[in-house]
Amino acid sequence: WVIIGGGEPIRGGKERVLQEMLARGGKYDKKLTFSQFLSSMTNHSSNFLLMLQGFFCNIPWGVMFVFLNDFLSQEKGLTVPDATFIVAVFGVGCAVG
């Protein structure tokens, strides 16, 4: 939308607490640094557990998508395009819900 709309939105433009500062002509240019991110991940156990869970839960899904195509084509006798189509439909179904 930036290309079609013509410009990038104002950073923090929809935040209520920044409306007064932005109305006076101020700019909000605070950005998350890597050290702030790392501090947030290590100091809050819930963030760390979510990242850990996400990392280890992605491995089985990745293995399934990589090897399901081979399994369908080699063990079940489907052609490679047909097996790829089935895996793609499965992926779209997972993404949609």
Side-chain angles (χ1 to χ4, degrees):
W1 291 113
V2 173
I3 294 172
I4 296 171
E8 191 170 334
I10 298 170
R11 180 178 290 274
K14 297 290 183 181
E15 299 290 332
R16 289 185 192 157
V17 295
L18 299 176
Q19 292 300 315
E20 187 178 320
M21 180 188 70
L22 293 173
R24 287 180 287 165
K27 289 182 83 175
Y28 180 75
D29 57 358
K30 186 173 181 179
K31 295 181 182 178
L32 183 67
T33 63
F34 182 73
S35 61
Q36 290 172 329
F37 169 76
L38 195 58
S39 173
S40 175
M41 296 281 57
T42 56
N43 293 335
H44 300 95
S45 59
S46 60
N47 288 345
F48 181 74
L49 288 174
L50 283 172
M51 292 292 287
L52 193 66
Q53 174 266 335
F55 177 77
F56 286 108
C57 287
N58 279 319
I59 293 172
W61 283 103
V63 168
M64 186 172 70
F65 278 106
V66 168
F67 292 108
L68 183 60
N69 198 351
D70 289 338
F71 173 76
L72 291 174
S73 64
Q74 293 177 6
E75 301 296 326
K76 296 299 179 183
L78 273 71
T79 64
V80 173
D82 289 343
T84 304
F85 178 75
I86 290 173
V87 171
V89 169
F90 181 73
V92 169
C94 288
V96 171

